[in-house]
Each structure stands twice: as structure tokens, then as C-alpha cells.
Amino acid sequence: MTAFGCRARRHDKIGPTGLLLATMLVFLSVLPAHAASPITLENARPGQSDWVLTDPADHEVEGYASATSINRGEPLRFYIHSTDPTVTIAIYRMGWYGGSGARLMRGGITIPGVRQPMPTADPVTGLIECDWQVSYTLSTTTDDDQEWRSGIYLAKLTGSSSGKQSYIIFVVREDDRPAELLFQSSVTTFQAYNNWGGKSTYPSNSQDERWARKVSFNRPYGRSQHPRGGSGTGAGEFLTAMSIHPTRTLSTAGWEYNMVRWLERQGYDVTYSTDIDTHSRVDFWKGRRAWLSVGHDEYWSQEMRHHVEAARGQGLGLGFFSANTCYWQIRLEPSPVTGEPNRTMVSYKEVALQEDPLALDGDPSNDHLITVQWREPPVNHPEHQLLGVMYETVPVDGDILVTQPSHPLFEGVDLPPDRRLPGLLGYEIDRAFPDGPAGLTILAHSPYPRDRQVVYGDMTLYQAPSGASVFAAGTMQWSWGLDDYNAPSLRSPRSNEAARQITANVLKLLGASAIPARP
């Protein structure tokens, strides 16, 4: 059965779309080899494993950065609270590095510990925003072209007497360096689930279940709530993640870092940004061939949607290795404390029509910005019109069932006889809906029994009128098939060669080639 409830016909021939894709894959496969990417060279440098937290803090030491990302060469301010007399800072770039997972960029930084003032929640919006003094300013200016490469970075904070540890996460961009891939870290979703200070955008992990209508980037990320470890404290959902079900809060093992490790291990020419960059810059993708959304990318502003759609219209390939993507509309506002732009996230969600000021101002011209689900009125802009799929259900933990094994994207993939990719369907899943993009192909249609019925997750592909390819995995757990970080401590191992080869085929279609480092 297809996602629309109609029985699918057996495809004995590839068809026009399949022939086009097959031709593209063959063409890309015979392109001449080129020099090692900057990422290959970066990951050939010695890595360190001491980036991992061994004693996660519970407010003894914590902090946040002045921006979610900076362009290479720009400064970044850290705001740090600690009950210790001194705090040490070690800054790591995250990647593969022979399996150690990170490289120490700067260490030996010791600063005085300062008890910063704790904010209180705004009684109306629930906004919690810190007004802390600057603790340290990081400079990324360098004469060495190989230093401060674009990447996701963790500043590891350690209290001198308590030994407690936490992270500050940030991204270094390289806006002017052409690259094949742009990896977006979905920090708006990190912030939606962040309950530091007692408030997130969810009642089940907010104090008194009075959830916040506005949340601030001017605060640390709270301690990881995973029952078997706090290794992600301060890093948002990069390492470990928290997902909210209507009746319970569930923790998972994260998604973004797994794909970062695999992409860098394979030597893909990848640069990094955040969805704040996608929001603020119409040319966020300049010089790239493809853009990747990974894991959990739930909260999108109107600007994000417009900028990604415009990029697709100019031929940028899109890879959604994620689910529950572009589900809630948000707005971004300046900080009421510092005035800096895009530091406050507005998300009224279920009460938007009753409480969002734009729903109450009597001005229909701005109703398209009300923070409801994208598919709901008055926005009425379903996410599958961009992705090909949209959110179906949660929680799920099952197998992906490939239903079009003869499609060119499965070329060279050694699928098992049952055509299943075990354990990669979940935690939330998306499926195809009617009235999706023209020419949408459903590559995998994966059943999952839930609440006495069967739900489906779909993997899809379509080609936009611009010629851009748009792939959607329809699952958050796809990157677990690429890399087993966090297994078996937080989840069972799921990596497999079929998922890795499918991903390589997708990226090749989008215009990216792997150049692994030599052993």
C-alpha cells in the first residue's frame, strides 16, 4: 500500500525520473578525483577523547555564548556562572579524528569563578533571560588557514574545586569558503526543549506546567535528562536529546553528532551553520551544493521557510535526514535585555489563537506569522510542500522497509532479504500526504503497529522545477545507521553498511563526494 491508501503498482522499469537519476549518479561516479577536502585534512590531525564530561554539573558551573554561531575570525563572548573559585575552559572542535571525536583547539584557560544573578520568569510569557557579565572572550582570528575550520564546537567548563563540568555549544561558520555541503544545527529546537531556569515551551518539563511562550538564547542549556547519563549537559540536543510526548517526557541519544562524525570520517567537504543563520541570511547557502537538516528540526520561522524554499528554487539540493521537521512556526525577536537580534524565540503553539499578540491585534495582514503549526490555519502552509513528507506520530522505534529497491538511490546497496533497515524508524516519523510535490517518489513505506492500528513512516524523493533534488528520510534515527556514538550506553547499536551506502548515494545525487583520510 502507498501512503495514500492505494495499492502500489510493481515497477519493472525505472521510468523517466529514475532514468534521470541513474544518469546523474553514473555521471557523478566518473568525475575525476580531486584534492582532499579541508575536512579530510582537519580530521587527519590528532584528536582527544577528554572532551567527554565525566561529572556533569547541576548548576555548579554553566554558561552560554553571545551567539549561536560566528563567522571564522569573529570573537565570541562566554557568560559563565560558577560556585567554584576558578573555572577552566577547554575548547574542542567536534568531528571524527580517528574515533576520538574531537580536537582540542584551545586549552589552559583559567578564569575566576563568578556567581552570576539568577533570573526569574516573566509572569506573562514565562521568558527566562540571564543578564550576566562577560567571563571570557574567545578570539578565532588566526594566520593559520587550517585553524578554526567551520564546525560545531564545545567549550568544556570545569569547576576547580567541585570538579563539576558542563558545555557551551557554538558553531564556527566559513561564509566565504565554497563547499559541497552545509550542515544546519537546529538550535531553535534545542531551545524549545531547554528548561533551564524552570521553563521550556512544553508543560511537562516546565515548573507548575505553566510553559513559556517565549524562550531566550541568553541562558545555558539545562542538564541532560537522559536516565543513564548527563553527557550532553550544556550542549542542547547535539549529544543527547529530550523529546516530549503528550503523556510523558522521553529522552533519546541524540542525532546531530552521529552524522557529524560520519560526514567527517568520510571526508565530505562540509561547513556548518545554525537555523538562526538560515533565518537571518537569504544567502545562507552561498557557495554550497546541498543543505542538510539532521535529526530534530521542528521549529521554523517564516524567514527560514522562505529562505530554504528560495534556495531550492535556485538549485540547492536539500537533504532532510530528520523528522517532525518544520512543524511549529516561530518568530524571532531581539533580547529585551541586550537588544541583540534573534535572541528571543516566540512560540505560543496550542494557545496561539487565544494569546499570540498577532492573533489579537485585529490586523489580518500579519496572521500568517501567528505561531501555530505550519499546516494549520491561518498559516495553511503544510510542511510537506517543501519536504515531501510531514509529521505523522510519536513514539516509534522500528525498522525502515524499503519498498522501491530497484530505484537508483539503492544502487550498490546490499539490502537484507526482507529489505529492512533495523532500528532506524523513530523516535518521531513523517509520512507522505496527498497534494505533495509533483513527481514525489516513495522509496520506503515503513509500517509500525501503534495503539491498535498501523502507522507509516515514508522515505521520499522529488525533483523541484529548478532541478534541485529534495530527499527526506522521514525519521529522526537515520543517523544512528551511520555511526554508533552513544551505543550501547544510551541505546542499542544500529549502524549498518546499507544505511551508509544509501546516504552516500543521496549525497552524491545532491552533488557531494566523500574523500576519506588515508589510514
Side-chain angles (χ1 to χ4, degrees):
M1 301 290 284
T2 70
F4 308 137
C6 301
R7 185 170 299 278
R9 292 177 295 174
R10 184 174 181 268
H11 291 269
D12 295 312
K13 298 182 179 180
I14 294 177
T17 302
L19 287 173
L20 174 62
L21 292 170
T23 302
M24 292 176 67
L25 288 173
V26 170
F27 171 75
L28 289 167
S29 69
V30 298
L31 286 175
H34 50 281
S37 77
I39 296 304
T40 300
L41 298 175
E42 170 65 30
N43 277 269
R45 306 178 88 166
Q48 289 80 27
S49 59
D50 60 356
W51 63 270
V52 178
L53 303 186
T54 57
D55 192 0
D58 188 12
H59 302 297
E60 294 90 352
V61 58
E62 55 193 345
Y64 61 93
S66 58
T68 60
S69 75
I70 55 171
N71 195 23
R72 186 184 188 200
E74 293 179 340
L76 184 69
R77 300 184 303 277
F78 293 154
Y79 303 83
I80 299 169
H81 159 80
S82 180
T83 57
D84 288 82
T86 58
V87 174
T88 61
I89 307 173
I91 298 169
Y92 297 86
R93 184 188 180 278
M94 309 307 292
W96 174 245
Y97 298 105
S100 61
R103 180 167 79 89
L104 179 65
M105 301 294 297
R106 186 165 298 170
I109 304 168
T110 301
I111 61 171
V114 174
R115 294 175 182 258
Q116 304 270 18
M118 293 296 115
T120 57
D122 181 277
V124 177
T125 65
L127 178 68
I128 295 173
E129 179 171 15
C130 297
D131 187 10
W132 290 358
Q133 68 184 58
V134 177
S135 305
Y136 178 78
T137 299
L138 172 69
S139 172
T140 60
T141 301
T142 178
D143 294 329
D144 185 347
D145 188 55
Q146 296 303 315
E147 288 297 315
W148 297 108
R149 279 290 177 203
S150 180
I152 299 179
Y153 287 73
L154 295 179
K156 179 183 176 182
L157 313 177
T158 303
S160 57
S161 57
S162 69
K164 295 292 185 178
Q165 303 165 326
S166 67
Y167 294 123
I168 298 175
I169 186 170
F170 63 97
V171 168
V172 173
R173 309 187 312 273
E174 288 184 79
D175 293 343
D176 295 328
R177 181 172 78 81
E180 293 179 339
L181 296 175
L182 180 62
F183 181 111
Q184 176 192 269
S185 185
S186 302
V187 298
T188 55
T189 300
F190 294 6
Q191 200 57 253
Y193 288 86
N194 180 21
N195 69 344
W196 188 93
K199 297 288 184 184
S200 75
T201 66
Y202 291 86
S204 58
N205 75 331
S206 294
Q207 288 179 356
D208 306 320
E209 294 196 352
R210 169 69 184 179
W211 49 275
R213 278 62 168 165
K214 296 184 179 184
V215 290
S216 175
F217 284 94
N218 288 334
R219 60 177 182 152
Y221 287 108
R223 181 184 173 97
S224 169
Q225 299 298 309
H226 202 288
R228 294 195 299 278
S231 61
T233 297
E237 289 199 349
F238 179 63
L239 300 174
T240 57
M242 182 191 303
S243 294
I244 309 297
H245 183 261
T247 60
R248 59 196 180 277
T249 300
L250 300 175
S251 297
T252 63
W255 307 280
E256 287 193 6
Y257 182 45
N258 299 76
M259 192 157 201
V260 168
R261 286 167 59 93
W262 184 79
L263 288 170
E264 300 218 347
R265 182 179 189 179
Q266 299 304 117
Y268 284 100
D269 189 11
V270 57
T271 54
Y272 297 84
S273 67
T274 74
D275 46 12
I276 302 298
D277 305 304
T278 310
H279 166 91
S280 60
R281 297 173 50 226
V282 67
D283 65 344
F284 72 95
W285 61 280
K286 180 180 66 174
R288 276 66 174 188
R289 298 181 183 178
W291 175 86
L292 307 182
S293 162
V294 176
H296 198 185
D297 187 8
E298 184 176 357
Y299 290 81
W300 284 47
S301 70
Q302 190 89 196
E303 291 85 349
M304 292 177 201
R305 181 79 178 260
H306 287 168
H307 293 168
V308 173
E309 289 177 339
R312 177 192 60 178
Q314 296 185 57
L316 181 73
L318 306 178
F320 293 98
F321 296 92
S322 55
N324 191 217
T325 306
C326 193
Y327 185 63
W328 289 108
Q329 178 167 248
I330 60 169
R331 297 193 301 274
L332 290 168
E333 297 179 344
S335 159
V337 173
T338 68
E340 293 173 307
N342 304 325
R343 297 296 283 174
T344 303
M345 189 173 99
V346 181
S347 183
Y348 283 85
K349 298 168 70 171
E350 291 91 350
V351 298
L353 297 181
Q354 295 77 42
E355 296 186 19
D356 191 328
L358 298 191
L360 304 177
D361 63 2
D363 181 2
S365 69
N366 60 28
D367 284 356
H368 64 290
L369 298 174
I370 296 172
T371 57
V372 295
Q373 293 175 18
W374 279 94
R375 64 185 79 175
E376 291 184 340
V379 177
N380 296 317
H381 195 181
E383 54 269 37
H384 73 142
Q385 294 175 356
L386 169 62
L387 281 73
V389 294
M390 58 186 183
Y391 172 71
E392 167 70 349
T393 193
V394 61
V396 171
D397 190 14
D399 302 340
I400 290 176
L401 176 63
V402 174
T403 50
Q404 293 280 5
S406 62
H407 192 279
L409 280 188
F410 300 112
E411 180 72 28
V413 177
D414 186 15
L415 290 171
D418 62 4
R419 292 180 280 117
R420 290 182 177 271
L421 304 175
L424 301 189
L425 187 70
Y427 153 78
E428 295 179 292
I429 59 172
D430 296 349
R431 69 172 175 90
F433 283 72
D435 303 318
L440 183 73
T441 299
I442 299 176
L443 303 168
H445 186 53
S446 308
Y448 185 82
R450 186 173 179 273
D451 297 335
R452 299 182 181 180
Q453 61 178 340
V454 177
V455 296
Y456 289 88
D458 290 330
M459 178 193 299
T460 62
L461 178 72
Y462 75 91
Q463 188 174 64
S466 67
S469 295
V470 180
F471 170 84
T475 173
M476 289 181 178
Q477 294 174 186
W478 182 263
S479 60
W480 292 0
L482 307 179
D483 178 82
D484 269 329
Y485 176 76
N486 268 334
S489 59
L490 302 186
R491 61 172 177 84
S492 60
R494 315 272 176 108
S495 67
N496 65 83
E497 185 55 37
R500 290 189 282 268
Q501 186 59 57
I502 294 168
T503 306
N505 288 351
V506 171
L507 296 180
K508 182 176 285 189
L509 175 63
L510 298 180
S513 303
I515 311 172
R518 294 179 179 177

